[in-house]
Amino acid sequence: MTGTSTIEVSVVEDHPLYRAALVRALGDAPDVRVSVTARSVEEFTAYRQPAGGVVILDLKLPGVHDSAAVVTVTGMGHRVLVVSAHGDQADVLGAIAAGARGYLTKDSDADEILRAVREIAAGNTYVSPTLASILLDSARNRGTVYRVPLSDRERQVLSLLAAGERDQDIADALAISVRTVRSHLDRIREKTGRRRRPELTRLAIEEGIVAPAPDR
């Protein structure tokens, strides 16, 4: 990133006070311009922002949320930095698997958020040191990542299926037809031999595409 470039940032956050605080912090940075603020992914989509910006995204949003929100925004060509109140393993791994470039919790200060935005705008990734340990532990536990040769789109479909989304929900999140979703699922089944949805969910966990739900 050069000293003269301006980073276009959008904020998708439904909590008005936190959204306003983020906008103030970003507005104080000379190399950042806040393009859009929105309360939901659907509202953000309506602005039709040009691809290539950094989107600070909460996970627990009304409407499209969690990994589906990440998939939708990355599918529009944006780089996603998740800033969420939740920092457990399932949320972190699910967001990263869905395409997020970075993940912070809402107790991060303004300096760290700006540092993450700049890293992601430069084409890098950023995860807070605390959350990075989750990724390292997960990698150690599962061994080789993505042992099954799935395409990026197939991983996205599998991630959403494992999150409990229906075929229509997956189609809406990825802006593709239900027929295309089912075609991707058929190819996943052909490659893996897993036929039923519980088997495909287990595959997603084994491949590190999503994390297993914590024991209650």
Side-chain angles (χ1 to χ4, degrees):
M1 183 181 67
T2 66
T4 58
S5 62
T6 299
I7 303 169
E8 298 289 337
V9 178
S10 297
V11 176
V12 184
E13 163 65 58
D14 67 324
H15 193 288
L17 292 178
Y18 190 77
R19 184 172 65 245
L22 273 178
V23 170
R24 283 196 302 271
L26 295 166
D28 289 338
D31 56 339
V32 171
R33 187 175 82 89
V34 178
S35 305
V36 164
T37 63
R39 294 165 293 180
S40 66
V41 170
E42 292 88 343
E43 184 179 336
F44 172 71
T45 301
Y47 283 98
R48 299 184 181 276
Q49 278 294 101
V54 176
V55 177
I56 297 178
L57 180 73
D58 190 15
L59 289 180
K60 307 305 178 183
L61 295 165
V64 179
H65 57 278
D66 292 328
S67 59
V70 177
V71 169
T72 301
V73 176
T74 57
M76 297 165 62
H78 302 291
R79 298 170 178 175
V80 169
L81 168 62
V82 171
V83 180
S84 173
H86 303 270
D88 57 32
Q89 186 184 65
D91 285 320
V92 177
L93 293 176
I96 297 299
R101 296 289 190 95
Y103 199 114
L104 296 172
T105 56
K106 286 186 176 178
D107 58 4
S108 303
D109 61 25
D111 287 342
E112 184 168 28
I113 292 172
L114 282 167
R115 184 159 57 250
V117 165
R118 289 169 179 139
E119 286 291 326
I120 291 169
N124 302 317
T125 59
Y126 189 95
V127 178
S128 71
T130 301
L131 299 182
S133 64
I134 291 177
L135 301 179
L136 290 172
D137 288 345
S138 176
R140 291 191 193 101
N141 290 338
R142 72 173 180 262
T144 304
V145 181
Y146 299 136
R147 294 177 296 272
V148 176
L150 301 177
S151 70
D152 289 343
R153 180 63 92 188
E154 288 165 354
R155 290 187 187 116
Q156 290 176 330
V157 169
L158 187 59
S159 173
L160 292 171
L161 177 145
E165 303 290 352
R166 301 170 303 168
D167 289 357
Q168 184 64 61
D169 298 326
I170 297 171
D172 292 343
L174 298 177
I176 58 180
S177 68
V178 173
R179 181 176 179 179
T180 301
V181 169
R182 291 171 180 163
S183 177
H184 285 305
L185 289 173
D186 286 343
R187 284 198 292 273
I188 293 169
R189 292 181 175 111
E190 290 170 2
K191 290 180 178 181
T192 66
R194 312 287 181 99
R195 313 303 301 179
R196 300 173 62 247
R197 285 186 173 241
E199 294 172 338
L200 292 172
T201 298
R202 172 55 56 187
L203 171 67
I205 293 169
E206 291 171 356
E207 293 298 312
I209 293 171
V210 298
D215 294 332
R216 299 290 183 188

